[in-house]
Amino acid sequence: MSKPARATDAQPSEPPSAPPTGTVTFLFSDIEGSTRLLEQLGDRYAGALLLHRDAMRRAFAAHGGVERGTEGDSFFVAFPGAAEAVSAAVSATTNLAAIDWPDGASVRVRIGLHTGEGRLVDDDYVGMDVHRAARIAAAGHGGQVLLSQSTRILAERALPEGVSLRDLGEHRLKDLPAPEHLYQLDIDGQRTDFPPLRSLARTVVNLPAALPSILGRDQDVAKVRNLVRRNRLVTVTGPGGTGKTRLVQEVARSIVGEDQLDVVFVPLEGVHDVDQVPIEILRALRLDIAVARDPIDRLAEHVGGRGTLLVLDNLEQLSGAGLVVRPLLDRAPSVSVLASSQAALHVAAEQEYALRPLLVAGDDGVDARPTTDDSVSPAIALFVERARAVRSDFELDAANADAILAICTRLDGLPLAIELAAAQVKLLAPQAILQRIEGSLDSLTSRREDLPARQKTLRATVSWSYELLGEDERRLFRRLAVFSGGARLMELEAIGAAVPPVSDVVDVLGTLVDRSLVNVRHGVAGDDRFSLFETMRTYARELLASHGEDRATSLEHARIYRTLAHEAAPRFYGADRRAWLDRISAEHGNFGVALEVLHDGGELAAALDLGADLWRYWQQRGHLVEGVERMDRLLAAVDAPGAPAVPPFILSRAEEAAGSLRYWLLPDRREAQPLYERSVQHAIESGDRDREAWARYNLAFVFDFVPEGFGQADIPRATKLRERALEIFRAVGDERGVGESLWAMGGSAQLVFNDSAAARRHLTEALPILQGIGDLFAIAWTRVSLALTGAIEGKLADAEFHALAAAEAFVRDGDISGEILSVQQLGALAARRGDDVTAARFKAAALAAMRSLGADLPPIPPILEPLEEAAARMAPEDLEREQEIGRALGVQAILSTALEAWRARGGAATGP
């Protein structure tokens, strides 16, 4: 038999006779599992129900509640005030807990409170607020008291002693149009740990307030959301400052209310013990963390079978985080995880999403140089938006567009860095901001108080990432600073082998890639490249200097690239010349760094030797101006007081390289002559006969291939130099020298002496020699000369064959200078056939390409004269129109079309 219920509330002397109106707090309650309780108690259920009703009514009466409905085990009560309703709910809960229920039964009552408009129609309350209160009660569990936001606001300052509020976040309730922010009453001595609410979908717990839009990330949000729908563990990775936290927050917001998932945001930035992760999850769920039970078991029990997405933010500082996340997924099958970290967790079934920096320029519809807000890249759009946040009148215009583009490029499109830079427009123009950020991270700081310390400066963000590394990883990270534009694995292994060595470069590099500190760009045939973001590289350079490692590492870097250039130089002529030109193009920035290091360190011989190896690459890939400037600077240093002696062999090679670059770079080839003459002198001093032959061979060009206005021709001297060079080449067995000398003699015979027969004789002798040794460079130029001779002889079909065969070789090998010459030559052949329109287009395309390179090609009269004659035959307006078309087409498109048509006709070069 049950004992009498204990009265816990004083009885009012005169209960209210009329229902309250105006602002009213509605209470709904019912017994959880009443059907099951009826089956358990049978006939005794009626007695239990009476005990329940007595306990509830005593609480309502004691606090001014007006009962408006009772049906079975449920109550609908109205209170004139929120504080009174809360006190009544507390009293009802404690009254029920004090009852000794029959047969050890457990009678658990859920209560929901909401404050709203108390509107009566025919003595009944009507309106959405009544409905809302009922739905709030239905979302709870037995023994749980839920409050709406409005009730919480009115009652929180008058809570009974021993009672507190627990924020349960926003929830979507059945038939209600908007989410409800719900709170739980925690009553001392009563149960406070309940399963998730019976809501349609619970919103993200602990999610910070929405920040400004994350520009340029719509596709990322959609992709990550789709991955979350298909995978139980998704990790968003990326370097510091890419916006991983913002992204996972946005994904969480997009999921709320649409997917049938509870979403819980768990910030882990300040956590450094991996064992604390489950505790932080319980804390985010507002579960009691003092209970001495395994937290993962508690989490699994709490979520039950309800789908729950845990958003674990900032895991990078927690070594072994995957060893916590994986058991959590195994023991809680309804849980999935969206994590953000600089590195993947490396556990089974993980789906990684690498978040890249924002696009700066180059995508479809994105201007490389924006001047308006329309069609700008995401990086530039972010800069402009954040700039307007601190200066509302800020505009993107022609005056600042270049500086903004340069800022976003220099900052690698990293959102955090761009935001920090944009905030400075309150004080500085973009041009001034650009000057401040060059080479330093210290200027990028924020005054925002709501940012974590590691995001208030770019240096702090990068330093945070660096401090998480082991010693070998830090050492290789520092050494990577010397590479410009990245490097291949073999170069990184060489720099890692320097003293003190990195233990396992491949493994350490894998960690740096995994932590998003190093980018990897996969190439063909496994030719992968690894590089630092420029912001990371700036920091790594500072570290390299502070550790006293900068000079030794830079010299080792220069040694590596000297070896590569020396290996490549003879390959610029052979069957694999395209591959080697591409290979050296990929390392263009590293060769520039190596030359600077060697020059600044007084290693002039090494620097000159490196420049001599690179000159043909500079010429063929359109870097003539750079090559001239670098070689001039190095040779000037040789003559400086106190300069170290340079061996004559190296001087001869360097002077020949500098002279050749000058020869190709018009307007005045007379500047090449003194360089070539010194090259001959130093070659003779070196005692190397082959070197002497090459020096004489090159000097000959400035005396016979001299256009009007570019110096004085000396045909006898040119002939004597070339004949002597050929004699030495034959004596020392240099087949390439023999073949190229015969080619040059053929060109001289045609262009200087107008002797087509002699020209054809020399050229047809040269071609098989060059084909025999596979000198593709010289073969192509020999075909250019054969095309010239054929054109002059009027054999236009023969000329076209050789011109197209040469063009095919230049295109195949990526020889930019050769491509431009081929377009000129094909245009001249068109002019000879009377096709003035094609001639005008081709000439304009070639001139535009030369201007873009800041260089010119040797003017060859049999090519230029027909082009000029064709132009003279056209009406000025027609000529201007066709020239514009030619410039728009460009050299590559013209050659592609011409070669495609040639092949369609069955044309193809025979042999190499």
PDB file of all heavy atoms in Angstrom, residues 5-9 11 51-52 54-60 62-63 87-101 190:
ATOM      1  N   ALA A   5       0.789  10.993   0.253  1.00  0.00           N
ATOM      2  CA  ALA A   5       1.696  11.963  -0.369  1.00  0.00           C
ATOM      3  C   ALA A   5       2.038  13.054   0.619  1.00  0.00           C
ATOM      4  O   ALA A   5       1.208  13.471   1.419  1.00  0.00           O
ATOM      5  CB  ALA A   5       1.017  12.571  -1.594  1.00  0.00           C
ATOM      6  N   ARG A   6       3.302  13.503   0.533  1.00  0.00           N
ATOM      7  CA  ARG A   6       3.772  14.542   1.449  1.00  0.00           C
ATOM      8  C   ARG A   6       3.450  15.900   0.842  1.00  0.00           C
ATOM      9  O   ARG A   6       3.787  16.192  -0.293  1.00  0.00           O
ATOM     10  CB  ARG A   6       5.279  14.401   1.662  1.00  0.00           C
ATOM     11  CG  ARG A   6       5.878  15.469   2.573  1.00  0.00           C
ATOM     12  CD  ARG A   6       7.340  15.128   2.894  1.00  0.00           C
ATOM     13  NE  ARG A   6       8.129  15.028   1.673  1.00  0.00           N
ATOM     14  CZ  ARG A   6       8.751  16.080   1.124  1.00  0.00           C
ATOM     15  NH1 ARG A   6       8.614  17.277   1.663  1.00  0.00           N
ATOM     16  NH2 ARG A   6       9.469  15.920   0.046  1.00  0.00           N
ATOM     17  N   ALA A   7       2.776  16.716   1.630  1.00  0.00           N
ATOM     18  CA  ALA A   7       2.459  18.065   1.139  1.00  0.00           C
ATOM     19  C   ALA A   7       3.690  18.932   1.198  1.00  0.00           C
ATOM     20  O   ALA A   7       4.318  19.071   2.230  1.00  0.00           O
ATOM     21  CB  ALA A   7       1.336  18.678   1.992  1.00  0.00           C
ATOM     22  N   THR A   8       4.057  19.486   0.087  1.00  0.00           N
ATOM     23  CA  THR A   8       5.267  20.323   0.060  1.00  0.00           C
ATOM     24  C   THR A   8       4.948  21.784  -0.141  1.00  0.00           C
ATOM     25  O   THR A   8       5.814  22.617  -0.084  1.00  0.00           O
ATOM     26  CB  THR A   8       6.181  19.870  -1.093  1.00  0.00           C
ATOM     27  OG1 THR A   8       5.438  19.940  -2.312  1.00  0.00           O
ATOM     28  CG2 THR A   8       6.647  18.450  -0.885  1.00  0.00           C
ATOM     29  N   ASP A   9       3.673  22.112  -0.384  1.00  0.00           N
ATOM     30  CA  ASP A   9       3.313  23.491  -0.654  1.00  0.00           C
ATOM     31  C   ASP A   9       2.167  23.914   0.247  1.00  0.00           C
ATOM     32  O   ASP A   9       1.254  23.138   0.499  1.00  0.00           O
ATOM     33  CB  ASP A   9       2.848  23.666  -2.093  1.00  0.00           C
ATOM     34  CG  ASP A   9       3.935  23.274  -3.078  1.00  0.00           C
ATOM     35  OD1 ASP A   9       4.880  22.668  -2.852  1.00  0.00           O
ATOM     36  OD2 ASP A   9       3.870  23.577  -4.111  1.00  0.00           O
ATOM     37  N   GLN A  11      -1.303  25.524   1.117  1.00  0.00           N
ATOM     38  CA  GLN A  11      -2.550  25.614   0.355  1.00  0.00           C
ATOM     39  C   GLN A  11      -3.032  27.063   0.357  1.00  0.00           C
ATOM     40  O   GLN A  11      -3.097  27.707   1.394  1.00  0.00           O
ATOM     41  CB  GLN A  11      -3.601  24.705   0.989  1.00  0.00           C
ATOM     42  CG  GLN A  11      -3.237  23.241   0.984  1.00  0.00           C
ATOM     43  CD  GLN A  11      -3.245  22.684  -0.431  1.00  0.00           C
ATOM     44  OE1 GLN A  11      -4.058  23.087  -1.243  1.00  0.00           O
ATOM     45  NE2 GLN A  11      -2.342  21.766  -0.701  1.00  0.00           N
ATOM     46  N   LEU A  51      -2.970   9.597  -7.245  1.00  0.00           N
ATOM     47  CA  LEU A  51      -1.806  10.158  -6.549  1.00  0.00           C
ATOM     48  C   LEU A  51      -1.114  11.202  -7.424  1.00  0.00           C
ATOM     49  O   LEU A  51      -0.705  12.270  -6.947  1.00  0.00           O
ATOM     50  CB  LEU A  51      -0.821   9.046  -6.179  1.00  0.00           C
ATOM     51  CG  LEU A  51      -1.249   8.083  -5.073  1.00  0.00           C
ATOM     52  CD1 LEU A  51      -0.232   6.945  -4.952  1.00  0.00           C
ATOM     53  CD2 LEU A  51      -1.370   8.820  -3.745  1.00  0.00           C
ATOM     54  N   HIS A  52      -0.978  10.889  -8.711  1.00  0.00           N
ATOM     55  CA  HIS A  52      -0.342  11.823  -9.659  1.00  0.00           C
ATOM     56  C   HIS A  52      -1.145  13.124  -9.744  1.00  0.00           C
ATOM     57  O   HIS A  52      -0.592  14.234  -9.661  1.00  0.00           O
ATOM     58  CB  HIS A  52      -0.243  11.140 -11.037  1.00  0.00           C
ATOM     59  CG  HIS A  52      -0.237  12.084 -12.184  1.00  0.00           C
ATOM     60  ND1 HIS A  52      -1.367  12.304 -12.965  1.00  0.00           N
ATOM     61  CD2 HIS A  52       0.723  12.902 -12.692  1.00  0.00           C
ATOM     62  CE1 HIS A  52      -1.083  13.181 -13.902  1.00  0.00           C
ATOM     63  NE2 HIS A  52       0.192  13.563 -13.763  1.00  0.00           N
ATOM     64  N   ASP A  54      -3.240  14.397  -7.583  1.00  0.00           N
ATOM     65  CA  ASP A  54      -3.197  15.135  -6.328  1.00  0.00           C
ATOM     66  C   ASP A  54      -1.911  15.923  -6.198  1.00  0.00           C
ATOM     67  O   ASP A  54      -1.908  17.104  -5.825  1.00  0.00           O
ATOM     68  CB  ASP A  54      -3.356  14.158  -5.161  1.00  0.00           C
ATOM     69  CG  ASP A  54      -3.231  14.859  -3.818  1.00  0.00           C
ATOM     70  OD1 ASP A  54      -4.107  15.691  -3.493  1.00  0.00           O
ATOM     71  OD2 ASP A  54      -2.224  14.602  -3.117  1.00  0.00           O
ATOM     72  N   ALA A  55      -0.783  15.256  -6.529  1.00  0.00           N
ATOM     73  CA  ALA A  55       0.521  15.921  -6.427  1.00  0.00           C
ATOM     74  C   ALA A  55       0.601  17.119  -7.376  1.00  0.00           C
ATOM     75  O   ALA A  55       1.113  18.188  -7.016  1.00  0.00           O
ATOM     76  CB  ALA A  55       1.631  14.919  -6.725  1.00  0.00           C
ATOM     77  N   MET A  56       0.076  16.958  -8.583  1.00  0.00           N
ATOM     78  CA  MET A  56       0.140  18.027  -9.572  1.00  0.00           C
ATOM     79  C   MET A  56      -0.764  19.182  -9.164  1.00  0.00           C
ATOM     80  O   MET A  56      -0.360  20.355  -9.216  1.00  0.00           O
ATOM     81  CB  MET A  56      -0.284  17.494 -10.948  1.00  0.00           C
ATOM     82  CG  MET A  56       0.588  16.373 -11.512  1.00  0.00           C
ATOM     83  SD  MET A  56       2.275  16.901 -11.912  1.00  0.00           S
ATOM     84  CE  MET A  56       1.991  17.871 -13.372  1.00  0.00           C
ATOM     85  N   ARG A  57      -2.008  18.864  -8.729  1.00  0.00           N
ATOM     86  CA  ARG A  57      -2.956  19.937  -8.407  1.00  0.00           C
ATOM     87  C   ARG A  57      -2.536  20.730  -7.198  1.00  0.00           C
ATOM     88  O   ARG A  57      -2.774  21.942  -7.117  1.00  0.00           O
ATOM     89  CB  ARG A  57      -4.352  19.338  -8.216  1.00  0.00           C
ATOM     90  CG  ARG A  57      -5.020  18.997  -9.545  1.00  0.00           C
ATOM     91  CD  ARG A  57      -6.289  18.238  -9.396  1.00  0.00           C
ATOM     92  NE  ARG A  57      -7.007  18.185 -10.686  1.00  0.00           N
ATOM     93  CZ  ARG A  57      -7.860  17.244 -11.023  1.00  0.00           C
ATOM     94  NH1 ARG A  57      -8.117  16.240 -10.161  1.00  0.00           N
ATOM     95  NH2 ARG A  57      -8.469  17.272 -12.199  1.00  0.00           N
ATOM     96  N   ARG A  58      -1.906  20.067  -6.213  1.00  0.00           N
ATOM     97  CA  ARG A  58      -1.414  20.820  -5.051  1.00  0.00           C
ATOM     98  C   ARG A  58      -0.367  21.839  -5.492  1.00  0.00           C
ATOM     99  O   ARG A  58      -0.328  22.975  -5.014  1.00  0.00           O
ATOM    100  CB  ARG A  58      -0.834  19.861  -4.018  1.00  0.00           C
ATOM    101  CG  ARG A  58      -1.923  19.129  -3.200  1.00  0.00           C
ATOM    102  CD  ARG A  58      -1.351  18.322  -2.046  1.00  0.00           C
ATOM    103  NE  ARG A  58      -0.635  17.139  -2.471  1.00  0.00           N
ATOM    104  CZ  ARG A  58       0.697  16.976  -2.407  1.00  0.00           C
ATOM    105  NH1 ARG A  58       1.431  17.951  -1.916  1.00  0.00           N
ATOM    106  NH2 ARG A  58       1.264  15.854  -2.825  1.00  0.00           N
ATOM    107  N   ALA A  59       0.512  21.433  -6.423  1.00  0.00           N
ATOM    108  CA  ALA A  59       1.547  22.358  -6.907  1.00  0.00           C
ATOM    109  C   ALA A  59       0.923  23.504  -7.686  1.00  0.00           C
ATOM    110  O   ALA A  59       1.289  24.678  -7.512  1.00  0.00           O
ATOM    111  CB  ALA A  59       2.550  21.600  -7.782  1.00  0.00           C
ATOM    112  N   PHE A  60      -0.030  23.216  -8.557  1.00  0.00           N
ATOM    113  CA  PHE A  60      -0.662  24.266  -9.358  1.00  0.00           C
ATOM    114  C   PHE A  60      -1.389  25.269  -8.458  1.00  0.00           C
ATOM    115  O   PHE A  60      -1.261  26.488  -8.629  1.00  0.00           O
ATOM    116  CB  PHE A  60      -1.662  23.665 -10.346  1.00  0.00           C
ATOM    117  CG  PHE A  60      -1.074  22.666 -11.305  1.00  0.00           C
ATOM    118  CD1 PHE A  60      -1.865  21.654 -11.847  1.00  0.00           C
ATOM    119  CD2 PHE A  60       0.272  22.730 -11.669  1.00  0.00           C
ATOM    120  CE1 PHE A  60      -1.335  20.740 -12.729  1.00  0.00           C
ATOM    121  CE2 PHE A  60       0.805  21.801 -12.551  1.00  0.00           C
ATOM    122  CZ  PHE A  60       0.005  20.797 -13.079  1.00  0.00           C
ATOM    123  N   ALA A  62      -0.935  25.957  -5.341  1.00  0.00           N
ATOM    124  CA  ALA A  62      -0.043  26.723  -4.474  1.00  0.00           C
ATOM    125  C   ALA A  62       0.577  27.912  -5.181  1.00  0.00           C
ATOM    126  O   ALA A  62       1.026  28.869  -4.541  1.00  0.00           O
ATOM    127  CB  ALA A  62       1.053  25.799  -3.928  1.00  0.00           C
ATOM    128  N   HIS A  63       0.594  27.897  -6.527  1.00  0.00           N
ATOM    129  CA  HIS A  63       1.298  28.968  -7.253  1.00  0.00           C
ATOM    130  C   HIS A  63       0.390  29.676  -8.256  1.00  0.00           C
ATOM    131  O   HIS A  63       0.877  30.261  -9.232  1.00  0.00           O
ATOM    132  CB  HIS A  63       2.525  28.390  -7.959  1.00  0.00           C
ATOM    133  CG  HIS A  63       3.547  27.850  -6.997  1.00  0.00           C
ATOM    134  ND1 HIS A  63       4.366  28.653  -6.253  1.00  0.00           N
ATOM    135  CD2 HIS A  63       3.831  26.568  -6.638  1.00  0.00           C
ATOM    136  CE1 HIS A  63       5.147  27.903  -5.488  1.00  0.00           C
ATOM    137  NE2 HIS A  63       4.837  26.634  -5.690  1.00  0.00           N
ATOM    138  N   SER A  87       7.801  27.792 -10.582  1.00  0.00           N
ATOM    139  CA  SER A  87       7.750  27.273  -9.216  1.00  0.00           C
ATOM    140  C   SER A  87       6.779  26.104  -9.115  1.00  0.00           C
ATOM    141  O   SER A  87       7.034  25.114  -8.413  1.00  0.00           O
ATOM    142  CB  SER A  87       7.339  28.389  -8.248  1.00  0.00           C
ATOM    143  OG  SER A  87       8.318  29.398  -8.213  1.00  0.00           O
ATOM    144  N   ALA A  88       5.652  26.206  -9.833  1.00  0.00           N
ATOM    145  CA  ALA A  88       4.679  25.115  -9.818  1.00  0.00           C
ATOM    146  C   ALA A  88       5.266  23.858 -10.432  1.00  0.00           C
ATOM    147  O   ALA A  88       5.057  22.733  -9.930  1.00  0.00           O
ATOM    148  CB  ALA A  88       3.422  25.535 -10.572  1.00  0.00           C
ATOM    149  N   ALA A  89       6.030  24.004 -11.512  1.00  0.00           N
ATOM    150  CA  ALA A  89       6.646  22.848 -12.166  1.00  0.00           C
ATOM    151  C   ALA A  89       7.675  22.199 -11.245  1.00  0.00           C
ATOM    152  O   ALA A  89       7.774  20.964 -11.171  1.00  0.00           O
ATOM    153  CB  ALA A  89       7.295  23.283 -13.474  1.00  0.00           C
ATOM    154  N   VAL A  90       8.431  23.026 -10.513  1.00  0.00           N
ATOM    155  CA  VAL A  90       9.426  22.493  -9.574  1.00  0.00           C
ATOM    156  C   VAL A  90       8.716  21.732  -8.461  1.00  0.00           C
ATOM    157  O   VAL A  90       9.102  20.613  -8.083  1.00  0.00           O
ATOM    158  CB  VAL A  90      10.294  23.627  -9.002  1.00  0.00           C
ATOM    159  CG1 VAL A  90      11.185  23.102  -7.867  1.00  0.00           C
ATOM    160  CG2 VAL A  90      11.134  24.257 -10.102  1.00  0.00           C
ATOM    161  N   SER A  91       7.666  22.338  -7.935  1.00  0.00           N
ATOM    162  CA  SER A  91       6.914  21.701  -6.848  1.00  0.00           C
ATOM    163  C   SER A  91       6.298  20.388  -7.321  1.00  0.00           C
ATOM    164  O   SER A  91       6.325  19.367  -6.610  1.00  0.00           O
ATOM    165  CB  SER A  91       5.824  22.636  -6.343  1.00  0.00           C
ATOM    166  OG  SER A  91       6.385  23.785  -5.757  1.00  0.00           O
ATOM    167  N   ALA A  92       5.718  20.390  -8.531  1.00  0.00           N
ATOM    168  CA  ALA A  92       5.103  19.175  -9.049  1.00  0.00           C
ATOM    169  C   ALA A  92       6.132  18.063  -9.184  1.00  0.00           C
ATOM    170  O   ALA A  92       5.872  16.899  -8.833  1.00  0.00           O
ATOM    171  CB  ALA A  92       4.442  19.464 -10.394  1.00  0.00           C
ATOM    172  N   THR A  93       7.322  18.418  -9.666  1.00  0.00           N
ATOM    173  CA  THR A  93       8.363  17.412  -9.857  1.00  0.00           C
ATOM    174  C   THR A  93       8.814  16.823  -8.528  1.00  0.00           C
ATOM    175  O   THR A  93       8.972  15.597  -8.383  1.00  0.00           O
ATOM    176  CB  THR A  93       9.570  18.039 -10.596  1.00  0.00           C
ATOM    177  OG1 THR A  93       9.120  18.551 -11.868  1.00  0.00           O
ATOM    178  CG2 THR A  93      10.658  17.019 -10.831  1.00  0.00           C
ATOM    179  N   THR A  94       9.012  17.669  -7.515  1.00  0.00           N
ATOM    180  CA  THR A  94       9.452  17.168  -6.208  1.00  0.00           C
ATOM    181  C   THR A  94       8.326  16.409  -5.501  1.00  0.00           C
ATOM    182  O   THR A  94       8.570  15.418  -4.796  1.00  0.00           O
ATOM    183  CB  THR A  94       9.949  18.333  -5.340  1.00  0.00           C
ATOM    184  OG1 THR A  94       8.936  19.335  -5.253  1.00  0.00           O
ATOM    185  CG2 THR A  94      11.209  18.941  -5.932  1.00  0.00           C
ATOM    186  N   ASN A  95       7.078  16.871  -5.691  1.00  0.00           N
ATOM    187  CA  ASN A  95       5.939  16.142  -5.117  1.00  0.00           C
ATOM    188  C   ASN A  95       5.886  14.712  -5.664  1.00  0.00           C
ATOM    189  O   ASN A  95       5.707  13.732  -4.919  1.00  0.00           O
ATOM    190  CB  ASN A  95       4.623  16.847  -5.448  1.00  0.00           C
ATOM    191  CG  ASN A  95       4.414  18.118  -4.644  1.00  0.00           C
ATOM    192  OD1 ASN A  95       5.163  18.390  -3.697  1.00  0.00           O
ATOM    193  ND2 ASN A  95       3.398  18.894  -5.007  1.00  0.00           N
ATOM    194  N   LEU A  96       6.013  14.582  -6.961  1.00  0.00           N
ATOM    195  CA  LEU A  96       5.956  13.262  -7.595  1.00  0.00           C
ATOM    196  C   LEU A  96       7.101  12.372  -7.146  1.00  0.00           C
ATOM    197  O   LEU A  96       6.935  11.163  -6.948  1.00  0.00           O
ATOM    198  CB  LEU A  96       5.973  13.424  -9.126  1.00  0.00           C
ATOM    199  CG  LEU A  96       4.724  14.085  -9.748  1.00  0.00           C
ATOM    200  CD1 LEU A  96       4.998  14.476 -11.198  1.00  0.00           C
ATOM    201  CD2 LEU A  96       3.529  13.141  -9.664  1.00  0.00           C
ATOM    202  N   ALA A  97       8.288  12.969  -6.989  1.00  0.00           N
ATOM    203  CA  ALA A  97       9.455  12.181  -6.600  1.00  0.00           C
ATOM    204  C   ALA A  97       9.318  11.633  -5.182  1.00  0.00           C
ATOM    205  O   ALA A  97       9.959  10.632  -4.829  1.00  0.00           O
ATOM    206  CB  ALA A  97      10.722  13.034  -6.722  1.00  0.00           C
ATOM    207  N   ALA A  98       8.469  12.292  -4.361  1.00  0.00           N
ATOM    208  CA  ALA A  98       8.336  11.872  -2.961  1.00  0.00           C
ATOM    209  C   ALA A  98       7.333  10.742  -2.772  1.00  0.00           C
ATOM    210  O   ALA A  98       7.216  10.177  -1.677  1.00  0.00           O
ATOM    211  CB  ALA A  98       7.909  13.071  -2.115  1.00  0.00           C
ATOM    212  N   ILE A  99       6.603  10.396  -3.807  1.00  0.00           N
ATOM    213  CA  ILE A  99       5.557   9.368  -3.681  1.00  0.00           C
ATOM    214  C   ILE A  99       6.163   7.972  -3.765  1.00  0.00           C
ATOM    215  O   ILE A  99       7.025   7.698  -4.592  1.00  0.00           O
ATOM    216  CB  ILE A  99       4.494   9.564  -4.780  1.00  0.00           C
ATOM    217  CG1 ILE A  99       3.775  10.912  -4.602  1.00  0.00           C
ATOM    218  CG2 ILE A  99       3.481   8.419  -4.791  1.00  0.00           C
ATOM    219  CD1 ILE A  99       2.804  11.243  -5.719  1.00  0.00           C
ATOM    220  N   ASP A 100       5.681   7.088  -2.907  1.00  0.00           N
ATOM    221  CA  ASP A 100       6.049   5.666  -2.954  1.00  0.00           C
ATOM    222  C   ASP A 100       5.008   4.974  -3.840  1.00  0.00           C
ATOM    223  O   ASP A 100       3.920   4.621  -3.387  1.00  0.00           O
ATOM    224  CB  ASP A 100       6.044   5.088  -1.542  1.00  0.00           C
ATOM    225  CG  ASP A 100       6.515   3.643  -1.509  1.00  0.00           C
ATOM    226  OD1 ASP A 100       6.979   3.161  -2.578  1.00  0.00           O
ATOM    227  OD2 ASP A 100       6.422   3.014  -0.455  1.00  0.00           O
ATOM    228  N   TRP A 101       5.328   4.812  -5.112  1.00  0.00           N
ATOM    229  CA  TRP A 101       4.371   4.314  -6.083  1.00  0.00           C
ATOM    230  C   TRP A 101       4.134   2.813  -5.901  1.00  0.00           C
ATOM    231  O   TRP A 101       5.021   2.067  -5.493  1.00  0.00           O
ATOM    232  CB  TRP A 101       4.860   4.590  -7.510  1.00  0.00           C
ATOM    233  CG  TRP A 101       5.034   6.050  -7.779  1.00  0.00           C
ATOM    234  CD1 TRP A 101       6.182   6.749  -7.725  1.00  0.00           C
ATOM    235  CD2 TRP A 101       4.004   6.967  -8.104  1.00  0.00           C
ATOM    236  NE1 TRP A 101       5.964   8.069  -8.011  1.00  0.00           N
ATOM    237  CE2 TRP A 101       4.630   8.241  -8.252  1.00  0.00           C
ATOM    238  CE3 TRP A 101       2.621   6.870  -8.275  1.00  0.00           C
ATOM    239  CZ2 TRP A 101       3.916   9.393  -8.570  1.00  0.00           C
ATOM    240  CZ3 TRP A 101       1.914   8.013  -8.611  1.00  0.00           C
ATOM    241  CH2 TRP A 101       2.556   9.267  -8.753  1.00  0.00           C
ATOM    242  N   GLN A 190      17.089  16.026  -8.298  1.00  0.00           N
ATOM    243  CA  GLN A 190      16.275  15.355  -9.319  1.00  0.00           C
ATOM    244  C   GLN A 190      17.146  15.029 -10.535  1.00  0.00           C
ATOM    245  O   GLN A 190      18.241  15.575 -10.724  1.00  0.00           O
ATOM    246  CB  GLN A 190      15.114  16.254  -9.739  1.00  0.00           C
ATOM    247  CG  GLN A 190      14.229  16.702  -8.599  1.00  0.00           C
ATOM    248  CD  GLN A 190      13.597  15.537  -7.857  1.00  0.00           C
ATOM    249  OE1 GLN A 190      13.149  14.559  -8.475  1.00  0.00           O
ATOM    250  NE2 GLN A 190      13.561  15.610  -6.534  1.00  0.00           N
TER     251      GLN A 190
END
